[in-house]
C-alpha cells in the first residue's frame, strides 16, 4: 500500500487523516502550528457536513460542543425583523472544538506538530521538512489552507484576488448574554448594504459573533491589536440594535480576528504529479458560502475512496478532480451571488436569501 504524507492539520488535513486511519492506510500528517495553539472562528455546518463527519467521529462528541440552529432571522440594523426561515439540521461549532475532536483519533506517532513543509525551489512538487530532508512518501495530500505556499509554487501563474468583503470574528464567554439568546442564527443588516452583524449561540456560556464589511466603504487598520479591532466595531456598530451594543460592549477582543478574504481568479488543477490538493488549498471558498468545511470533508471522503480502489495515481487524481471541481464551481458561483447581494442597499436585496450556498 502507498505511503502518504498529509500537509496541514486543519479541518481538511485532519478529516482525511481520520479517513486514512479508518481504512488503515499508511500516512503521516505534518502541521506547522503547536498542538494547542488553536485560534479561530466557527462554522455553520449543513446536514451533509454532519453526515460526512458521522463516518469518522462519534457524533455525541460533536453535539456536546455546538448547537443545532432552529431559525435564521434576518433583521435590519435597528432590530426590525425582515424575514424568518426554519433551519433544518444546520449546526454551529467553533473551529477549535471540531479540530480537537478530529485530532483525537490520530495516534501521536502519526502526527508531527511544529513541522513546516516547504516546496523545493529546484524541483516542482518535491517537498521538504524544516531539517532540509525530503518527504519520502509515494503521494502528498496538501491541506495547507487557502494561501497554500505549495500550490503557489506549483501553479506559479495563479492569481489570488482580494474579495470585496472582510470579516471580524469573535467568540466570547458570557453566560448572561447567552441566556438571552435562543438557538437561532441572528443576522442584522445595515440599510445601505455592505455591513452586517451575525450572532450565534455556541453553548450556554459561549457566543460567536461576526461582522462582514465592504472593504471599499469601511476601513480597518492593519494593526491587528484588540484595541484597534474594538474601535472599529464600536465605531461602526455602536448605534445598532441594543442587543448588538450590549454584545460589543461586553466582549473581550483578545481572541477577535480580522479575516482578509481572498479567492482564486480561476481554480488550478487539483493535482500535480504525485501531489494532490484538498480543502481550501484546492479551492478557497469565500465565507458567504458556509461550505468550506463540508467541501473539505467531502474532498477527504471522495479521495480516500478513490485511493482505496487502487488505480494508478494519475487516474485516481483525475477522477477526484472531475467529481469535486464541478460541485466547487457551483459554490463559487453561489458565493459570488451572495456577495453581490450583500453589497446592495437592503431594499434591493432579495428578502429570503439564506447565508449559505446549496448545490
Ligand atoms: C471568517 C470565516 C468564516 C467561515 N465560515 C465558515 C462556515 O460557516 N462554514 C464553513 O463550512 N466554512 C467556513 N469557513 C471556511 C472554513 O474555515 C475552511 O474552509 C475550512 O476550515 C477548511 O480549511 P482547511 O483545513 O482546508 O485549511 P485551514 O483551516 O487553513 O488549515 C490549514 C492548516 O495547514 C497548516 N499549514 C499551513 N501551511 C503549512 C505548511 N507549510 N506545513 C505544515 N502545515 C501547514 C496551518 O497551520 C493550518 O493548520 C469560514 C472561513 C472564514 C475565514
Amino acid at each position: 500500500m502507498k505511503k502518504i504524507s498529509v500537509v496541514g492539520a486543519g479541518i481538511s488535513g485532519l478529516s482525511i487523516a481520520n479517513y486514512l486511519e479508518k481504512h488503515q492506510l499508511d500516512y503521516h500528517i505534518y502541521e506547522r502550528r503547536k498542538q494547542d495553539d488553536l485560534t479561530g472562528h466557527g462554522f455553520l455546518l449543513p446536514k451533509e457536513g454532519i453526515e460526512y463527519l458521522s463516518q469518522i467521529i462519534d457524533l455525541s462528541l460533536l453535539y456536546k460542543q455546538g448547537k443545532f440552529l432552529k431559525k435564521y432571522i434576518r433583521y435590519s440594523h435597528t432590530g426590525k425583523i425582515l424575514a424568518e426561515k426554519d433551519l433544518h439540521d444546520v449546526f454551529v461549532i467553533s473551529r477549535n472544538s471540531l479540530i480537537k475532536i478530529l485530532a483525537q483519533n490520530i495516534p501521536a506517532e502519526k502526527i508531527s506538530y511544529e513541522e513546516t513543509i516547504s516546496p523545493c525551489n529546484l524541483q516542482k512538487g518535491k517537498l521538504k521538512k524544516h531539517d532540509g530532508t525530503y518527504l519520502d512518501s509515494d503521494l502528498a495530500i496538501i491541506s495547507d489552507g487557502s494561501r497554500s505556499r505549495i500550490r503557489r509554487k506549483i501553479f506559479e501563474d495563479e492569481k489570488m484576488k482580494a474579495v470585496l468583503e472582510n470579516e471580524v470574528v469573535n467568540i466570547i464567554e458570557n453566560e448572561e448574554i447567552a441566556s438571552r439568546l435562543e438557538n437561532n442564527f441572528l443576522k442584522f443588516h445595515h440599510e445601505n448594504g455592505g455591513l452586517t452583524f451575525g450572532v450565534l449561540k455556541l453553548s450556554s456560556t459561549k457566543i460567536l459573533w461576526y461582522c462582514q464589511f465592504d472593504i471599499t466603504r469601511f476601513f480597518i487598520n492593519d494593526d491587528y491589536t484588540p484595541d484597534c479591532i474594538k474601535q472599529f466595531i464600536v465605531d461602526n456598530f455602536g448605534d445598532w440594535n441594543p442587543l448588538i451594543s450590549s454584545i460589543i460592549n461586553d466582549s473581550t477582543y483578545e481572541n477577535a480576528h480580522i479575516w482578509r478574504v481572498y479567492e482564486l481568479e480561476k481554480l488550478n488543477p487539483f493535482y500535480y504529479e504525485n501531489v494532490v490538493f484538498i480543502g481550501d488549498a484546492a479551492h478557497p471558498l469565500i465565507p458567504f458560502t458556509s461550505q468550506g468545511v463540508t467541501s473539505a470533508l467531502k474532498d477527504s471522503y471522495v479521495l480516500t475512496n478513490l485511493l482505496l480502489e487502487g488505480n494508478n495515481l494519475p487516474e485516481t487524481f483525475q477522477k477526484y478532480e472531475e467529481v469535486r471541481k464541478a460541485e466547487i464551481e457551483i459554490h463559487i458561483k453561489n458565493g459570488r451571488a451572495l456577495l453581490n447581494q450583500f453589497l446592495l442597499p437592503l431594499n434591493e436585496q432579495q428578502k429570503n436569501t439564506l447565508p449559505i450556498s446549496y448545490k
Side-chain angles (χ1 to χ4, degrees):
M1 189 41 92
K2 292 183 170 36
K3 199 168 166 193
I4 302 170
S5 296
V6 180
V7 179
I11 304 295
S12 355
L14 286 169
S15 66
I16 200 153
N18 273 265
Y19 277 108
L20 299 175
E21 181 68 28
K22 179 178 165 183
H23 294 287
Q24 298 175 333
L25 296 176
D26 183 9
Y27 71 94
H28 193 91
I29 176 164
Y30 300 91
E31 166 56 51
R32 80 175 164 201
R33 69 175 155 81
K34 289 188 180 144
Q35 183 167 5
D36 295 324
D37 191 5
L38 283 170
T39 54
H41 51 280
F43 312 119
L44 286 184
L45 268 177
K47 188 175 179 188
E48 202 184 7
I50 296 174
E51 281 164 9
Y52 285 105
L53 278 173
S54 72
Q55 304 195 23
I56 45 176
I57 62 164
D58 173 358
L59 283 187
S60 66
L61 294 176
L62 184 82
Y63 296 158
K64 275 188 206 145
Q65 299 294 331
K67 290 249 180 250
F68 278 103
L69 298 168
K70 288 191 205 138
K71 275 188 204 164
Y72 167 62
I73 310 180
R74 182 176 160 91
Y75 293 92
S76 72
H77 76 279
T78 53
K80 183 172 159 230
I81 295 185
L82 303 171
E84 277 189 32
K85 260 195 171 184
D86 287 335
L87 292 173
H88 301 288
D89 297 325
V90 176
F91 192 72
V92 60
I93 186 164
S94 73
R95 180 175 186 268
N96 294 359
S97 301
L98 188 51
I99 286 196
K100 278 189 190 148
I101 295 171
L102 286 167
Q104 275 175 25
N105 298 334
I106 311 301
E109 69 278 10
K110 293 190 187 173
I111 185 161
S112 303
Y113 290 99
E114 298 177 64
E115 179 64 86
T116 301
I117 304 300
S118 317
C120 167
N121 279 331
L122 303 173
Q123 207 180 332
K124 257 192 191 178
K126 217 155 162 51
L127 304 171
K128 58 180 185 206
K129 298 193 232 173
H130 73 273
D131 65 3
T133 58
Y134 289 104
L135 292 186
D136 66 346
S137 49
D138 302 301
L139 75 134
I141 299 175
I142 309 302
S143 47
D144 58 348
S146 59
R147 310 293 298 273
S148 168
R149 266 183 72 199
I150 297 169
R151 185 192 69 222
R152 277 185 281 156
K153 183 76 196 169
I154 292 178
F155 303 112
E156 285 168 338
D157 294 338
E158 75 166 36
K159 287 199 179 69
M160 282 295 263
K161 65 170 187 190
V163 172
L164 288 183
E165 174 256 3
N166 282 184
E167 306 203 357
V168 173
V169 188
N170 201 2
I171 294 180
I172 57 162
E173 286 266 353
N174 191 313
E175 200 168 349
E176 194 277 312
I177 296 179
S179 71
R180 287 197 264 146
L181 299 174
E182 291 189 57
N183 295 333
N184 294 326
F185 176 4
L186 315 179
K187 197 160 176 193
F188 297 78
H189 299 251
H190 196 278
E191 61 192 353
N192 297 335
L195 199 62
T196 66
F197 194 95
V199 185
L200 296 142
K201 180 168 164 172
L202 290 170
S203 72
S204 56
T205 58
K206 265 192 192 155
I207 300 156
L208 182 160
W209 64 253
Y210 68 98
C211 77
Q212 302 173 309
F213 56 98
D214 172 351
I215 57 169
T216 64
R217 287 188 267 172
F218 304 94
F219 305 98
I220 187 162
N221 201 315
D222 270 338
D223 164 23
Y224 292 0
T225 59
D227 284 347
C228 150
I229 300 177
K230 182 168 186 180
Q231 196 58 54
F232 174 82
I233 295 293
V234 171
D235 288 350
N236 291 294
F237 301 92
D239 60 351
W240 285 35
N241 175 270
L243 173 69
I244 298 176
S245 11
S246 68
I247 289 175
I248 64 182
N249 289 325
D250 289 346
S251 290
T252 53
Y253 287 78
E254 278 66 34
N255 296 318
H257 292 277
I258 304 175
W259 289 99
R260 304 289 188 195
V261 185
Y262 290 87
E263 66 173 352
L264 280 171
E265 265 184 22
K266 186 173 170 293
L267 290 177
N268 296 305
F270 285 4
Y271 62 95
Y272 174 83
E273 294 182 349
N274 68 339
V275 173
V276 62
F277 295 87
I278 63 170
D280 285 4
H283 45 70
L285 288 174
I286 63 173
F288 282 106
T289 63
S290 300
Q291 284 288 356
V293 173
T294 303
S295 301
L297 293 166
K298 215 163 166 182
D299 290 350
S300 300
Y301 171 80
V302 170
L303 182 59
T304 308
N305 281 331
L306 288 167
L307 287 169
L308 287 168
E309 284 177 13
N311 297 321
N312 61 40
L313 280 188
E315 212 175 308
T316 302
F317 290 170
Q318 198 183 340
K319 194 83 199 281
Y320 160 70
E321 177 172 316
E322 227 172 83
V323 175
R324 294 299 300 135
K325 215 174 205 175
E327 187 177 316
I328 294 296
E329 300 274 16
I330 296 175
H331 291 315
I332 290 176
K333 191 165 150 257
N334 290 346
R336 288 178 182 156
L338 288 166
L339 170 68
N340 289 337
Q341 285 289 312
F342 159 82
L343 296 170
L344 292 172
L346 196 52
N347 60 4
E348 291 175 32
Q349 292 179 18
Q350 286 166 9
K351 294 209 167 31
N352 265 334
T353 318
L354 277 177
I356 196 161
S357 151
Y358 286 108
K359 38 176 206 315

